[in-house]
Amino acid sequence: MKISVIGAGYVGLTTAACLAQIGHEVFCSESDLDKLTKLQGGGMPIFEPHLEEVIKAVRKAERLRFGSTDEAIAWGDAIFICVGTPPLPNGDADLHAIEAVARSIAKRASGYRLIIEKSTVPVQTGAQLRKHLSVHSTNGLRYDVASNPEFLREGTSVEDFLHPDRIVIGVDSPRAADMLREIYEPITKQEFVCPIHSDCPKRKAPIFLATDTNSAELIKHASNSFLAMKISFINMVANLCEVVGADVTKVAEGMGLDPRIGAAFLNPGIGFGGFCFPKDVQAFIRIAEKSGCDFSLLKEVEKINQRRVEHFVEQVRNELWVLRGKKIAVWGLAFKPNTDDVRFAPSIALVKSLVDEGANVRAYDPEAMGKAKSVLPNITYCSNPYEAAEGADALLIVTEWDEFRNVDWERLRSTVERPLILDGRNALNAAEAASHGFHYFSVGRPPVLPGQAGSAAIGASAFVGADIRKESF
Ligand SMILES: NC(=O)c1ccc[n+]([C@@H]2O[C@H](COP(=O)([O-])OP(=O)(O)OC[C@H]3O[C@@H](n4cnc5c(N)ncnc54)[C@H](O)[C@@H]3O)[C@@H](O)[C@H]2O)c1
């Protein structure tokens, strides 16, 4: 099918590349001219594993092109809208980019188009789109509007798109449903050349769930809010563990063994970030408020998350006493591993807070430093983790990159001024840290002293190491 994708961000680029990979002819547009020029010249505006290789291959096969939104509107029988929906100051989703695209489609398109919202939008946005398209249509446009919420996770977006658990569509016409079934058929049947795995035939076909548009829109916000709730829940349990001397890793393990609860998203840390959970929770709270439903549960989820960084800084203060003039190494700036995305990352509030108190922050992240520089200009960026740790009074782990898990302990020990680690992601092995002379603090677990290799340290790290890698949001 001829498909257009509007917006070449994390979602749009992945959608365009993967739809081309499964055989469609795709035109992807981007309004940011720097990004567009980069893409047209074969460059990548974002870091996302496997995406660059897929884009290269499908462009070579002439199934993916990049250009303007007007060209995209003229091209596709189906048009995926993948523009950003950031939060407004009051928490509402800012839909101005969606509205602008709808207006362009209404003014420029003629004949039939299936217009698909893939951006995360508040319930009833589909209804607004229909109204708006009718009001502004000048060229005899005939259309259906469908919702197709995206559940991919940055860091594994290509894999998530090609091998999803479920594909949700919200449609109000059989024609829209048929077109979406056709678009996704190679994925629902798992019949395509997979650019990532050699063992794909063993993979399970995803559930294809068709609902009305309002329900599909709600599924996305409700899913993200629920996952955010799990994270805030375990973070509060972690606070309690710190006070009573329990180990949150073991508590989470015990809880997660109950299939009704599940182990996923029970890893405590310094809070969730990124371009989904924080804004989607806010938007869902506002949707409920405007509908007369008091979803105060979610207000607590948000509050708990907002306090995570302050709680962590308090722990840093407890150890370093005065922050002014202290050298603090920060490992990780991305909101999670395997992405360069720092939008709403806890690292931003954390580093700002440390800098405000006069600390000298030296940071390293394998992929996110380019993007971090514009939001965190007043720190030293280092070319590797050990350079960041040089002469440090404390080392803070902020993103659980594998590179940090595989630390050379001897080298680190000889690099820092004071062997003190505060691990905001429970990423490192506590027993190993202690055996190399570090005083190791983590989230919701008893601190481990140099030389101590008690059962708490060993047991906890074994579970975290096994579980945390599987999970991402
Ligand atoms: N990032 C994620 O992990 C993720 C996952 C699921 C859903 N979502 C949702 O998907 C949407 C997009 O998220 P993202 O992370 O890809 O955002 P993004 O900011 O990375 O990408 C959006 C892109 O759209 C472009 N754009 C805006 N208006 C345009 C126009 N008129 N024509 C062409 N391009 C235009 C922007 O320049 C930008 O590059 C959001 O609603 C988000 O909530 C994101």
Side-chain angles (χ1 to χ4, degrees):
M1 194 181 296
K2 283 169 72 174
I3 294 175
S4 296
V5 174
I6 298 186
Y10 291 87
V11 167
L13 255 192
T14 305
T15 301
C18 291
L19 289 176
Q21 175 72 27
I22 64 173
H24 299 293
E25 293 174 70
V26 182
F27 193 102
C28 179
S29 81
E30 171 54 53
S31 59
D32 178 326
L33 290 184
D34 287 342
K35 276 192 195 175
L36 180 60
T37 311
K38 206 174 223 177
L39 285 164
Q40 286 175 324
M44 283 291 286
I46 56 169
F47 167 76
E48 184 60 43
H50 305 295
L51 191 53
E52 190 169 2
E53 301 90 276
V54 178
I55 289 177
K56 238 180 224 159
V58 292
R59 287 190 82 198
K60 198 167 165 211
E62 297 188 350
R63 288 203 304 277
L64 175 63
R65 283 184 300 143
F66 295 104
S68 72
T69 296
D70 284 356
E71 289 172 287
I73 290 168
W75 171 261
D77 298 318
I79 302 176
F80 283 84
I81 303 179
C82 300
V83 299
T85 50
L88 289 167
N90 69 357
D92 277 340
D94 181 349
L95 299 179
H96 90 270
I98 301 257
E99 197 254 15
V101 171
R103 190 180 285 246
S104 298
I105 295 174
K107 291 218 178 303
R108 299 188 195 289
S110 57
Y112 178 85
R113 295 288 193 287
L114 173 61
I115 298 154
I116 304 150
E117 348 157 308
K118 196 171 252 315
S119 301
T120 302
V121 291
V123 62
Q124 294 179 337
T125 299
Q128 287 291 349
L129 273 174
R130 285 185 195 104
K131 193 166 127 194
H132 202 73
L133 287 162
S134 296
V135 168
H136 293 287
S137 163
T138 47
N139 273 332
L141 171 69
R142 288 174 294 112
Y143 62 85
D144 279 306
V145 170
S147 162
N148 173 217
E150 182 51 63
F151 302 103
L152 64 75
R153 297 158 300 173
E154 286 175 28
T156 51
S157 76
V158 174
E159 168 149 20
D160 292 343
F161 195 95
L162 293 173
H163 304 296
D165 308 310
R166 80 284 206 201
I167 294 168
V168 173
I169 62 160
V171 283
D172 292 319
S173 88
R175 183 174 188 173
D178 288 347
M179 282 179 77
L180 278 159
R181 260 182 228 287
E182 188 187 330
I183 289 170
Y184 281 113
E185 194 174 59
I187 293 178
T188 50
K189 292 190 170 163
Q190 288 290 291
E191 285 175 359
F192 56 85
V193 177
C194 179
I196 307 175
H197 311 100
S198 50
D199 63 345
C200 275
K202 289 187 206 130
R203 289 195 162 249
K204 247 183 36 197
I207 306 278
F208 190 86
L209 178 66
T211 71
D212 58 282
T213 316
N214 285 342
S215 301
E217 289 166 342
L218 272 180
I219 285 169
K220 176 65 189 176
H221 267 135
S223 300
N224 274 2
S225 298
F226 188 85
L227 292 173
M229 181 182 72
K230 266 188 114 175
I231 295 172
S232 280
F233 186 93
I234 202 65
N235 279 336
M236 281 311 296
V237 175
N239 281 2
L240 187 58
C241 286
E242 284 167 14
V243 178
V244 301
D247 182 335
V248 70
T249 317
K250 290 180 178 160
V251 177
E253 185 179 10
M255 288 170 64
L257 289 170
D258 183 335
R260 294 169 303 175
I261 297 174
F265 283 75
L266 289 182
N267 291 310
I270 57 168
F272 54 79
F275 197 52
C276 287
F277 286 5
K279 76 173 177 57
D280 290 352
V281 169
Q282 277 182 23
F284 207 36
I285 292 169
R286 289 288 297 155
I287 291 162
E289 255 169 23
K290 287 195 272 187
S291 311
C293 302
D294 180 11
F295 214 151
S296 50
L297 172 68
L298 286 184
K299 292 183 189 161
E300 278 307 313
V301 168
E302 198 186 12
K303 255 193 244 163
I304 292 166
N305 198 55
Q306 284 164 352
R307 286 192 224 114
R308 293 311 291 163
V309 165
E310 183 44 39
H311 180 73
F312 191 57
V313 173
E314 194 52 49
Q315 287 176 324
V316 179
R317 268 191 224 109
N318 283 345
E319 284 311 302
L320 294 186
W321 188 22
V322 173
L323 297 190
R324 177 172 296 278
K326 294 278 161 60
K327 264 193 190 172
I328 299 183
V330 168
W331 281 9
L333 296 164
F335 83 94
K336 67 170 184 176
N338 300 318
T339 182
D340 59 350
D341 198 349
V342 296
R343 291 176 292 180
F344 304 102
S347 64
I348 295 172
L350 170 68
V351 169
K352 280 185 175 162
S353 179
L354 299 173
V355 169
D356 283 351
E357 291 197 39
N360 173 0
V361 173
R362 296 167 61 82
Y364 169 75
D365 186 288
E367 294 293 339
M369 292 196 289
K371 295 211 160 114
K373 279 176 186 163
S374 55
V375 263
L376 296 171
N378 299 322
I379 60 172
T380 306
Y381 290 91
C382 301
S383 56
N384 65 61
Y386 305 97
E387 190 186 323
E390 253 166 44
D393 295 291
L395 164 60
L396 314 187
I397 311 294
V398 179
T399 315
E400 63 276 31
W401 286 92
D402 275 346
E403 184 174 347
F404 305 152
R405 296 179 200 282
N406 300 327
V407 56
D408 175 343
W409 285 106
E410 291 295 330
R411 184 170 172 198
L412 182 64
R413 178 64 190 88
S414 63
T415 304
V416 296
E417 168 71 22
R418 178 178 165 190
L420 168 67
I421 295 175
L422 293 107
D423 185 347
R425 297 295 183 187
N426 290 3
L428 302 190
N429 185 309
E432 263 193 278
S435 74
H436 286 89
F438 282 85
H439 196 161
Y440 176 80
F441 289 83
S442 53
V443 181
R445 301 186 295 183
V448 182
L449 298 169
Q452 183 187 339
S455 61
I458 294 163
S461 57
F463 176 66
V464 167
D467 190 60
I468 205 166
R469 284 155 204 259
K470 288 189 288 192
E471 180 170 302
S472 167
F473 49 86

